Amino acid sequence: MKNSTSAVVYACIAVLSWSTVATAFKIALTHLTHFEMLLIASCTSLIIFALLLTFQKKWKLVSELSGRQWGYFALLGLLNPVAYYLVLFKAYDLLPAQVAQPINYAWPIVLLILLALFAHQPIPPKKYIGMFISLGGVVLISVGTGQSGGMDIPVHGLLLAALSALLWAMYWMINNKFKDKTDGSIALFMSFLFGTAYLLIGAVGVGVHLDTLPGILSGMYVGGFEMGIPFIFFSLAMRKTSNPALVNQLCYLSPFLSLFFIAMILGEQIVFTTYIGLALIVMGIMFNQYLVKK
């Protein structure tokens, strides 16, 4: 298989995986609390990343990490998977999937603001156009979905979904700053090693009841197809491709495919404001990424 073809195949596997997880979140939350779901998912992802290091024969690189790098990953693991996914899963627990997913997807807009504030990267004037388009989509979904579909949209659920976008943007910014200093597979393993350890300690105080097989299996699915497998395949796609822009553009299919699964499997009636709002979010992100000179 040619590199360009295999890159597209790998990217499609990642996109298809991410497209199913919003539905998987809601199914898992019928059996588990958001903390229990994250505990199972994080353990599953840690096993996947450990197997990846074994396959790639990179365990020696773990032993070569400096004390400073261990400290860095101890902090990073607190942000992702712990803080980010606890907030995200609670948002899904409170909101319809068709609302939580698009709002979380607006994180690139939040990233622009963070880079301007903390990395001193000024926002080009034209990028404000894309930002306002995307934010308009967020507002339309937040306000219009409840009115059009007659759904209960709690304000604190919307705030949690917005907070999840902020946390992911923070994680991306911090991780991207240090990505050249650590192998990508090692970084994922170490983050989830610390994250899982924090969650296991937290489980002692919170108390968990993992006594349903559907709950455990759905939590494992989330760990495999949200946190583990798609990151591996997307990384492979970016490594194989000669056209990174194409691979990135394929990711924009994910939220729209996700609405299909939400409607077909969860039975949520997707209202027109969700489609329009999601389209605006994606249009704003693509406008800033591809049409505005960096």
Side-chain angles (χ1 to χ4, degrees):
M1 188 183 296
K2 294 182 179 180
N3 282 350
S4 58
T5 304
S6 60
V8 172
V9 172
Y10 293 148
C12 288
I13 292 173
V15 168
L16 185 60
S17 296
W18 279 320
S19 300
T20 64
V21 293
T23 300
F25 293 165
K26 296 296 285 187
I27 293 174
L29 286 167
T30 62
H31 302 282
L32 305 168
T33 66
H34 66 292
F35 183 90
E36 292 168 345
M37 181 169 74
L38 178 55
L39 178 63
I40 296 173
S42 186
C43 289
T44 303
S45 297
L46 180 62
I47 293 171
I48 291 173
F49 294 136
L51 292 174
L52 178 65
L53 293 189
T54 303
F55 178 77
Q56 295 177 335
K57 299 180 180 179
K58 290 183 176 179
W59 282 106
K60 185 180 179 181
L61 296 178
V62 176
S63 64
E64 294 174 352
L65 292 174
S66 66
R68 185 175 181 179
Q69 287 174 308
W70 278 80
Y72 160 71
F73 286 118
L75 291 174
L76 200 64
L78 193 61
L79 183 57
N80 176 49
V82 179
Y84 169 67
Y85 278 109
L86 279 177
V87 170
L88 179 66
F89 291 166
K90 186 59 179 179
Y92 269 91
D93 195 22
L94 296 170
L95 297 171
Q98 64 179 291
V99 174
Q101 186 249 23
I103 295 176
N104 172 258
Y105 196 76
W107 69 267
I109 301 302
V110 181
L111 178 62
L112 273 178
I113 300 171
L114 292 180
L115 289 173
L117 292 175
F118 300 105
H120 306 293
Q121 296 183 18
I123 301 173
K126 288 185 179 179
K127 285 200 172 185
Y128 284 104
I129 298 174
M131 289 174 61
F132 281 117
I133 292 173
S134 291
L135 290 175
V138 171
V139 172
L140 182 61
I141 291 172
S142 302
V143 177
T145 303
Q147 295 179 349
S148 301
M151 303 178 190
D152 181 24
I153 311 293
V155 175
H156 59 295
L158 295 174
L159 292 175
L160 285 173
L163 178 59
S164 73
L166 173 62
L167 290 171
W168 186 254
M170 290 172 58
Y171 171 76
W172 191 96
M173 185 173 67
I174 296 170
N175 192 50
N176 195 58
K177 184 177 180 180
F178 294 95
K179 70 177 182 179
D180 295 331
K181 299 180 181 179
T182 310
D183 178 87
S185 301
I186 301 297
L188 284 169
F189 171 78
M190 292 298 296
S191 294
F192 275 82
L193 175 65
F194 279 104
T196 303
Y198 296 144
L199 290 167
L200 288 171
I201 294 171
V204 176
V206 173
V208 295
H209 302 282
L210 306 178
D211 52 3
T212 64
L213 182 60
I216 294 173
L217 292 178
S218 57
M220 291 174 64
Y221 183 92
V222 169
F225 291 93
E226 157 66 11
M227 305 172 183
I229 293 171
F231 283 104
I232 294 172
F233 277 97
F234 187 76
S235 177
L236 286 171
M238 293 299 288
R239 198 177 307 155
K240 294 277 187 181
T241 187
S242 58
N243 187 1
L246 173 62
V247 173
N248 276 318
Q249 287 167 7
L250 288 173
C251 291
Y252 294 116
L253 295 174
S254 177
F256 294 99
L257 288 173
S258 183
L259 291 181
F260 170 78
F261 290 116
I262 289 169
M264 293 297 295
I265 298 175
L266 297 181
E268 283 190 20
Q269 182 181 357
I270 310 299
V271 298
F272 74 97
T273 51
T274 298
Y275 289 115
I276 298 173
L278 180 56
L280 288 173
I281 292 172
V282 172
M283 284 171 57
I285 294 171
M286 293 188 71
F287 177 86
N288 283 348
Q289 187 166 351
Y290 299 108
L291 298 181
V292 180
K293 291 183 179 180
K294 297 183 179 179

mmCIF file of all heavy atoms in Angstrom, residues 46 53 58-77 175 178-194:
data_model
loop_
_atom_site.group_PDB
_atom_site.id
_atom_site.type_symbol
_atom_site.label_atom_id
_atom_site.label_comp_id
_atom_site.label_asym_id
_atom_site.label_seq_id
_atom_site.Cartn_x
_atom_site.Cartn_y
_atom_site.Cartn_z
ATOM 1 N N LEU A 46 -4.305 3.203 29.050
ATOM 2 C CA LEU A 46 -2.953 2.954 29.556
ATOM 3 C C LEU A 46 -2.429 1.607 29.073
ATOM 4 O O LEU A 46 -1.259 1.492 28.670
ATOM 5 C CB LEU A 46 -2.957 3.003 31.092
ATOM 6 C CG LEU A 46 -1.607 2.767 31.763
ATOM 7 C CD1 LEU A 46 -0.609 3.848 31.368
ATOM 8 C CD2 LEU A 46 -1.771 2.717 33.286
ATOM 9 N N LEU A 53 4.154 0.739 23.278
ATOM 10 C CA LEU A 53 5.579 0.866 23.602
ATOM 11 C C LEU A 53 6.294 -0.466 23.462
ATOM 12 O O LEU A 53 7.446 -0.518 23.010
ATOM 13 C CB LEU A 53 5.755 1.399 25.026
ATOM 14 C CG LEU A 53 5.304 2.829 25.310
ATOM 15 C CD1 LEU A 53 5.760 3.254 26.697
ATOM 16 C CD2 LEU A 53 5.844 3.797 24.280
ATOM 17 N N LYS A 58 10.172 0.685 22.860
ATOM 18 C CA LYS A 58 10.591 2.000 23.343
ATOM 19 C C LYS A 58 10.640 2.097 24.865
ATOM 20 O O LYS A 58 10.760 3.190 25.406
ATOM 21 C CB LYS A 58 9.643 3.078 22.800
ATOM 22 C CG LYS A 58 9.772 3.321 21.306
ATOM 23 C CD LYS A 58 8.856 4.456 20.848
ATOM 24 C CE LYS A 58 9.058 4.752 19.367
ATOM 25 N NZ LYS A 58 8.162 5.847 18.896
ATOM 26 N N TRP A 59 10.578 0.961 25.566
ATOM 27 C CA TRP A 59 10.575 1.030 27.025
ATOM 28 C C TRP A 59 11.871 1.634 27.557
ATOM 29 O O TRP A 59 11.880 2.262 28.623
ATOM 30 C CB TRP A 59 10.368 -0.361 27.624
ATOM 31 C CG TRP A 59 8.940 -0.807 27.568
ATOM 32 C CD1 TRP A 59 8.406 -1.735 26.740
ATOM 33 C CD2 TRP A 59 7.869 -0.315 28.372
ATOM 34 N NE1 TRP A 59 7.053 -1.862 26.967
ATOM 35 C CE2 TRP A 59 6.690 -1.010 27.970
ATOM 36 C CE3 TRP A 59 7.768 0.632 29.388
ATOM 37 C CZ2 TRP A 59 5.452 -0.775 28.553
ATOM 38 C CZ3 TRP A 59 6.537 0.872 29.968
ATOM 39 C CH2 TRP A 59 5.394 0.168 29.552
ATOM 40 N N LYS A 60 12.950 1.471 26.817
ATOM 41 C CA LYS A 60 14.224 2.041 27.250
ATOM 42 C C LYS A 60 14.136 3.566 27.346
ATOM 43 O O LYS A 60 14.769 4.186 28.204
ATOM 44 C CB LYS A 60 15.335 1.634 26.282
ATOM 45 C CG LYS A 60 16.720 2.090 26.721
ATOM 46 C CD LYS A 60 17.778 1.648 25.731
ATOM 47 C CE LYS A 60 19.159 2.145 26.174
ATOM 48 N NZ LYS A 60 20.226 1.757 25.201
ATOM 49 N N LEU A 61 13.339 4.161 26.440
ATOM 50 C CA LEU A 61 13.193 5.620 26.452
ATOM 51 C C LEU A 61 12.516 6.105 27.727
ATOM 52 O O LEU A 61 12.770 7.215 28.195
ATOM 53 C CB LEU A 61 12.389 6.079 25.228
ATOM 54 C CG LEU A 61 13.024 5.826 23.857
ATOM 55 C CD1 LEU A 61 12.086 6.292 22.748
ATOM 56 C CD2 LEU A 61 14.375 6.537 23.751
ATOM 57 N N VAL A 62 11.634 5.273 28.300
ATOM 58 C CA VAL A 62 10.972 5.642 29.559
ATOM 59 C C VAL A 62 11.999 5.734 30.678
ATOM 60 O O VAL A 62 11.986 6.673 31.493
ATOM 61 C CB VAL A 62 9.868 4.626 29.912
ATOM 62 C CG1 VAL A 62 9.245 4.959 31.265
ATOM 63 C CG2 VAL A 62 8.800 4.600 28.833
ATOM 64 N N SER A 63 12.899 4.753 30.721
ATOM 65 C CA SER A 63 13.920 4.755 31.776
ATOM 66 C C SER A 63 14.907 5.904 31.620
ATOM 67 O O SER A 63 15.601 6.264 32.586
ATOM 68 C CB SER A 63 14.677 3.418 31.763
ATOM 69 O OG SER A 63 15.395 3.254 30.540
ATOM 70 N N GLU A 64 14.993 6.477 30.432
ATOM 71 C CA GLU A 64 15.933 7.572 30.183
ATOM 72 C C GLU A 64 15.335 8.948 30.452
ATOM 73 O O GLU A 64 16.026 9.964 30.317
ATOM 74 C CB GLU A 64 16.433 7.502 28.730
ATOM 75 C CG GLU A 64 17.276 6.260 28.437
ATOM 76 C CD GLU A 64 17.638 6.134 26.969
ATOM 77 O OE1 GLU A 64 17.099 6.937 26.165
ATOM 78 O OE2 GLU A 64 18.434 5.251 26.629
ATOM 79 N N LEU A 65 14.059 9.004 30.826
ATOM 80 C CA LEU A 65 13.434 10.287 31.124
ATOM 81 C C LEU A 65 14.072 10.917 32.360
ATOM 82 O O LEU A 65 14.377 10.229 33.339
ATOM 83 C CB LEU A 65 11.934 10.109 31.359
ATOM 84 C CG LEU A 65 11.083 9.701 30.149
ATOM 85 C CD1 LEU A 65 9.652 9.416 30.585
ATOM 86 C CD2 LEU A 65 11.100 10.776 29.072
ATOM 87 N N SER A 66 14.239 12.221 32.311
ATOM 88 C CA SER A 66 14.824 12.937 33.448
ATOM 89 C C SER A 66 13.778 13.169 34.533
ATOM 90 O O SER A 66 12.565 13.026 34.296
ATOM 91 C CB SER A 66 15.394 14.280 32.976
ATOM 92 O OG SER A 66 14.335 15.129 32.534
ATOM 93 N N GLY A 67 14.254 13.533 35.713
ATOM 94 C CA GLY A 67 13.336 13.838 36.807
ATOM 95 C C GLY A 67 12.416 14.999 36.466
ATOM 96 O O GLY A 67 11.244 15.011 36.848
ATOM 97 N N ARG A 68 12.951 15.960 35.720
ATOM 98 C CA ARG A 68 12.140 17.104 35.312
ATOM 99 C C ARG A 68 11.026 16.671 34.371
ATOM 100 O O ARG A 68 9.890 17.175 34.458
ATOM 101 C CB ARG A 68 13.023 18.139 34.633
ATOM 102 C CG ARG A 68 12.294 19.429 34.268
ATOM 103 C CD ARG A 68 13.260 20.451 33.705
ATOM 104 N NE ARG A 68 12.577 21.696 33.376
ATOM 105 C CZ ARG A 68 13.182 22.766 32.890
ATOM 106 N NH1 ARG A 68 14.488 22.753 32.692
ATOM 107 N NH2 ARG A 68 12.486 23.857 32.614
ATOM 108 N N GLN A 69 11.326 15.727 33.473
ATOM 109 C CA GLN A 69 10.300 15.228 32.554
ATOM 110 C C GLN A 69 9.226 14.443 33.303
ATOM 111 O O GLN A 69 8.043 14.545 32.982
ATOM 112 C CB GLN A 69 10.949 14.359 31.473
ATOM 113 C CG GLN A 69 11.741 15.150 30.441
ATOM 114 C CD GLN A 69 12.479 14.260 29.472
ATOM 115 O OE1 GLN A 69 13.217 13.346 29.873
ATOM 116 N NE2 GLN A 69 12.306 14.495 28.169
ATOM 117 N N TRP A 70 9.618 13.674 34.309
ATOM 118 C CA TRP A 70 8.633 12.965 35.117
ATOM 119 C C TRP A 70 7.706 13.956 35.815
ATOM 120 O O TRP A 70 6.496 13.745 35.895
ATOM 121 C CB TRP A 70 9.325 12.066 36.147
ATOM 122 C CG TRP A 70 9.759 10.754 35.583
ATOM 123 C CD1 TRP A 70 10.886 10.507 34.844
ATOM 124 C CD2 TRP A 70 9.076 9.505 35.689
ATOM 125 N NE1 TRP A 70 10.947 9.169 34.488
ATOM 126 C CE2 TRP A 70 9.851 8.529 34.997
ATOM 127 C CE3 TRP A 70 7.898 9.092 36.305
ATOM 128 C CZ2 TRP A 70 9.479 7.196 34.906
ATOM 129 C CZ3 TRP A 70 7.521 7.751 36.220
ATOM 130 C CH2 TRP A 70 8.303 6.829 35.530
ATOM 131 N N GLY A 71 8.274 15.045 36.306
ATOM 132 C CA GLY A 71 7.453 16.076 36.944
ATOM 133 C C GLY A 71 6.510 16.743 35.967
ATOM 134 O O GLY A 71 5.351 17.038 36.298
ATOM 135 N N TYR A 72 7.012 16.959 34.751
ATOM 136 C CA TYR A 72 6.177 17.566 33.702
ATOM 137 C C TYR A 72 4.985 16.671 33.386
ATOM 138 O O TYR A 72 3.843 17.141 33.300
ATOM 139 C CB TYR A 72 7.036 17.799 32.458
ATOM 140 C CG TYR A 72 6.270 17.970 31.176
ATOM 141 C CD1 TYR A 72 5.526 19.110 30.919
ATOM 142 C CD2 TYR A 72 6.300 16.972 30.193
ATOM 143 C CE1 TYR A 72 4.824 19.272 29.732
ATOM 144 C CE2 TYR A 72 5.604 17.122 29.018
ATOM 145 C CZ TYR A 72 4.873 18.263 28.777
ATOM 146 O OH TYR A 72 4.168 18.409 27.612
ATOM 147 N N PHE A 73 5.230 15.373 33.253
ATOM 148 C CA PHE A 73 4.127 14.457 32.928
ATOM 149 C C PHE A 73 3.187 14.256 34.117
ATOM 150 O O PHE A 73 2.003 13.971 33.919
ATOM 151 C CB PHE A 73 4.681 13.112 32.448
ATOM 152 C CG PHE A 73 5.243 13.161 31.062
ATOM 153 C CD1 PHE A 73 6.582 12.879 30.831
ATOM 154 C CD2 PHE A 73 4.446 13.514 29.990
ATOM 155 C CE1 PHE A 73 7.104 12.942 29.556
ATOM 156 C CE2 PHE A 73 4.964 13.578 28.703
ATOM 157 C CZ PHE A 73 6.306 13.290 28.481
ATOM 158 N N ALA A 74 3.700 14.420 35.327
ATOM 159 C CA ALA A 74 2.831 14.343 36.500
ATOM 160 C C ALA A 74 1.799 15.466 36.467
ATOM 161 O O ALA A 74 0.627 15.262 36.822
ATOM 162 C CB ALA A 74 3.665 14.431 37.775
ATOM 163 N N LEU A 75 2.216 16.651 36.026
ATOM 164 C CA LEU A 75 1.284 17.769 35.897
ATOM 165 C C LEU A 75 0.391 17.603 34.676
ATOM 166 O O LEU A 75 -0.812 17.897 34.726
ATOM 167 C CB LEU A 75 2.062 19.086 35.810
ATOM 168 C CG LEU A 75 2.788 19.519 37.086
ATOM 169 C CD1 LEU A 75 3.639 20.758 36.819
ATOM 170 C CD2 LEU A 75 1.797 19.795 38.209
ATOM 171 N N LEU A 76 0.963 17.141 33.568
ATOM 172 C CA LEU A 76 0.190 16.990 32.332
ATOM 173 C C LEU A 76 -0.905 15.942 32.504
ATOM 174 O O LEU A 76 -2.021 16.103 32.001
ATOM 175 C CB LEU A 76 1.117 16.607 31.181
ATOM 176 C CG LEU A 76 0.594 16.875 29.768
ATOM 177 C CD1 LEU A 76 0.400 18.365 29.533
ATOM 178 C CD2 LEU A 76 1.553 16.310 28.721
ATOM 179 N N GLY A 77 -0.600 14.859 33.220
ATOM 180 C CA GLY A 77 -1.595 13.819 33.454
ATOM 181 C C GLY A 77 -2.766 14.304 34.290
ATOM 182 O O GLY A 77 -3.887 13.788 34.161
ATOM 183 N N ASN A 175 1.296 20.787 25.637
ATOM 184 C CA ASN A 175 1.890 19.591 25.056
ATOM 185 C C ASN A 175 2.666 19.920 23.779
ATOM 186 O O ASN A 175 3.739 19.374 23.523
ATOM 187 C CB ASN A 175 0.798 18.559 24.752
ATOM 188 C CG ASN A 175 1.360 17.202 24.416
ATOM 189 O OD1 ASN A 175 2.203 16.665 25.131
ATOM 190 N ND2 ASN A 175 0.906 16.625 23.321
ATOM 191 N N PHE A 178 6.255 21.224 24.255
ATOM 192 C CA PHE A 178 7.303 20.284 24.644
ATOM 193 C C PHE A 178 7.352 19.037 23.762
ATOM 194 O O PHE A 178 8.079 18.101 24.075
ATOM 195 C CB PHE A 178 7.091 19.839 26.100
ATOM 196 C CG PHE A 178 7.264 20.949 27.094
ATOM 197 C CD1 PHE A 178 6.174 21.669 27.554
ATOM 198 C CD2 PHE A 178 8.514 21.288 27.567
ATOM 199 C CE1 PHE A 178 6.325 22.693 28.475
ATOM 200 C CE2 PHE A 178 8.677 22.315 28.484
ATOM 201 C CZ PHE A 178 7.578 23.017 28.938
ATOM 202 N N LYS A 179 6.585 19.028 22.648
ATOM 203 C CA LYS A 179 6.459 17.797 21.875
ATOM 204 C C LYS A 179 7.770 17.357 21.231
ATOM 205 O O LYS A 179 7.987 16.164 20.995
ATOM 206 C CB LYS A 179 5.369 17.955 20.807
ATOM 207 C CG LYS A 179 5.742 18.894 19.667
ATOM 208 C CD LYS A 179 4.638 18.924 18.615
ATOM 209 C CE LYS A 179 5.028 19.824 17.437
ATOM 210 N NZ LYS A 179 3.986 19.839 16.409
ATOM 211 N N ASP A 180 8.657 18.317 20.922
ATOM 212 C CA ASP A 180 9.920 17.957 20.273
ATOM 213 C C ASP A 180 10.925 17.372 21.254
ATOM 214 O O ASP A 180 11.965 16.862 20.846
ATOM 215 C CB ASP A 180 10.529 19.194 19.589
ATOM 216 C CG ASP A 180 9.660 19.699 18.442
ATOM 217 O OD1 ASP A 180 8.964 18.868 17.836
ATOM 218 O OD2 ASP A 180 9.673 20.906 18.171
ATOM 219 N N LYS A 181 10.632 17.459 22.563
ATOM 220 C CA LYS A 181 11.572 16.978 23.562
ATOM 221 C C LYS A 181 11.295 15.534 23.994
ATOM 222 O O LYS A 181 12.117 14.926 24.672
ATOM 223 C CB LYS A 181 11.534 17.898 24.787
ATOM 224 C CG LYS A 181 11.921 19.344 24.468
ATOM 225 C CD LYS A 181 11.865 20.220 25.696
ATOM 226 C CE LYS A 181 12.225 21.670 25.360
ATOM 227 N NZ LYS A 181 12.162 22.551 26.547
ATOM 228 N N THR A 182 10.120 15.016 23.654
ATOM 229 C CA THR A 182 9.736 13.672 24.081
ATOM 230 C C THR A 182 9.032 12.948 22.939
ATOM 231 O O THR A 182 8.225 13.543 22.221
ATOM 232 C CB THR A 182 8.798 13.720 25.305
ATOM 233 O OG1 THR A 182 9.362 14.568 26.299
ATOM 234 C CG2 THR A 182 8.599 12.330 25.897
ATOM 235 N N ASP A 183 9.329 11.671 22.780
ATOM 236 C CA ASP A 183 8.640 10.850 21.785
ATOM 237 C C ASP A 183 7.133 10.851 22.054
ATOM 238 O O ASP A 183 6.693 10.813 23.204
ATOM 239 C CB ASP A 183 9.191 9.424 21.855
ATOM 240 C CG ASP A 183 8.501 8.490 20.889
ATOM 241 O OD1 ASP A 183 8.920 8.408 19.735
ATOM 242 O OD2 ASP A 183 7.515 7.845 21.315
ATOM 243 N N GLY A 184 6.330 10.904 20.963
ATOM 244 C CA GLY A 184 4.882 11.000 21.103
ATOM 245 C C GLY A 184 4.268 9.835 21.856
ATOM 246 O O GLY A 184 3.374 10.030 22.689
ATOM 247 N N SER A 185 4.711 8.620 21.584
ATOM 248 C CA SER A 185 4.165 7.438 22.270
ATOM 249 C C SER A 185 4.499 7.475 23.751
ATOM 250 O O SER A 185 3.675 7.115 24.605
ATOM 251 C CB SER A 185 4.723 6.158 21.631
ATOM 252 O OG SER A 185 4.392 6.085 20.264
ATOM 253 N N ILE A 186 5.717 7.920 24.072
ATOM 254 C CA ILE A 186 6.127 8.025 25.469
ATOM 255 C C ILE A 186 5.275 9.067 26.191
ATOM 256 O O ILE A 186 4.838 8.866 27.333
ATOM 257 C CB ILE A 186 7.617 8.419 25.569
ATOM 258 C CG1 ILE A 186 8.496 7.378 24.872
ATOM 259 C CG2 ILE A 186 8.028 8.573 27.032
ATOM 260 C CD1 ILE A 186 8.446 6.008 25.480
ATOM 261 N N ALA A 187 5.018 10.187 25.510
ATOM 262 C CA ALA A 187 4.225 11.255 26.117
ATOM 263 C C ALA A 187 2.815 10.779 26.456
ATOM 264 O O ALA A 187 2.293 11.065 27.542
ATOM 265 C CB ALA A 187 4.171 12.457 25.182
ATOM 266 N N LEU A 188 2.194 10.050 25.536
ATOM 267 C CA LEU A 188 0.849 9.537 25.791
ATOM 268 C C LEU A 188 0.849 8.546 26.955
ATOM 269 O O LEU A 188 0.002 8.615 27.854
ATOM 270 C CB LEU A 188 0.298 8.868 24.529
ATOM 271 C CG LEU A 188 -0.187 9.796 23.416
ATOM 272 C CD1 LEU A 188 -0.449 9.001 22.135
ATOM 273 C CD2 LEU A 188 -1.437 10.542 23.837
ATOM 274 N N PHE A 189 1.810 7.635 26.941
ATOM 275 C CA PHE A 189 1.881 6.636 28.008
ATOM 276 C C PHE A 189 2.088 7.294 29.368
ATOM 277 O O PHE A 189 1.397 6.969 30.347
ATOM 278 C CB PHE A 189 3.007 5.634 27.739
ATOM 279 C CG PHE A 189 3.266 4.707 28.894
ATOM 280 C CD1 PHE A 189 2.426 3.627 29.126
ATOM 281 C CD2 PHE A 189 4.336 4.932 29.754
ATOM 282 C CE1 PHE A 189 2.647 2.775 30.200
ATOM 283 C CE2 PHE A 189 4.562 4.084 30.834
ATOM 284 C CZ PHE A 189 3.721 3.005 31.056
ATOM 285 N N MET A 190 3.015 8.237 29.440
ATOM 286 C CA MET A 190 3.329 8.860 30.727
ATOM 287 C C MET A 190 2.160 9.689 31.251
ATOM 288 O O MET A 190 1.864 9.676 32.453
ATOM 289 C CB MET A 190 4.578 9.731 30.583
ATOM 290 C CG MET A 190 5.858 8.949 30.329
ATOM 291 S SD MET A 190 6.266 7.824 31.677
ATOM 292 C CE MET A 190 6.561 8.985 33.016
ATOM 293 N N SER A 191 1.489 10.417 30.362
ATOM 294 C CA SER A 191 0.339 11.209 30.789
ATOM 295 C C SER A 191 -0.747 10.316 31.375
ATOM 296 O O SER A 191 -1.337 10.621 32.423
ATOM 297 C CB SER A 191 -0.220 12.018 29.614
ATOM 298 O OG SER A 191 0.697 12.987 29.183
ATOM 299 N N PHE A 192 -1.013 9.203 30.702
ATOM 300 C CA PHE A 192 -2.070 8.310 31.180
ATOM 301 C C PHE A 192 -1.603 7.469 32.362
ATOM 302 O O PHE A 192 -2.429 7.027 33.163
ATOM 303 C CB PHE A 192 -2.562 7.425 30.037
ATOM 304 C CG PHE A 192 -3.621 8.099 29.209
ATOM 305 C CD1 PHE A 192 -3.275 8.992 28.206
ATOM 306 C CD2 PHE A 192 -4.963 7.872 29.452
ATOM 307 C CE1 PHE A 192 -4.247 9.634 27.456
ATOM 308 C CE2 PHE A 192 -5.942 8.507 28.718
ATOM 309 C CZ PHE A 192 -5.583 9.396 27.718
ATOM 310 N N LEU A 193 -0.300 7.263 32.497
ATOM 311 C CA LEU A 193 0.209 6.566 33.679
ATOM 312 C C LEU A 193 -0.098 7.378 34.929
ATOM 313 O O LEU A 193 -0.649 6.854 35.912
ATOM 314 C CB LEU A 193 1.719 6.353 33.543
ATOM 315 C CG LEU A 193 2.416 5.728 34.759
ATOM 316 C CD1 LEU A 193 1.924 4.300 34.982
ATOM 317 C CD2 LEU A 193 3.938 5.745 34.567
ATOM 318 N N PHE A 194 0.236 8.664 34.899
ATOM 319 C CA PHE A 194 -0.045 9.520 36.051
ATOM 320 C C PHE A 194 -1.548 9.749 36.204
ATOM 321 O O PHE A 194 -2.074 9.732 37.325
ATOM 322 C CB PHE A 194 0.691 10.853 35.900
ATOM 323 C CG PHE A 194 2.127 10.791 36.306
ATOM 324 C CD1 PHE A 194 3.130 10.758 35.350
ATOM 325 C CD2 PHE A 194 2.489 10.750 37.641
ATOM 326 C CE1 PHE A 194 4.471 10.690 35.725
ATOM 327 C CE2 PHE A 194 3.819 10.686 38.029
ATOM 328 C CZ PHE A 194 4.815 10.652 37.067
#
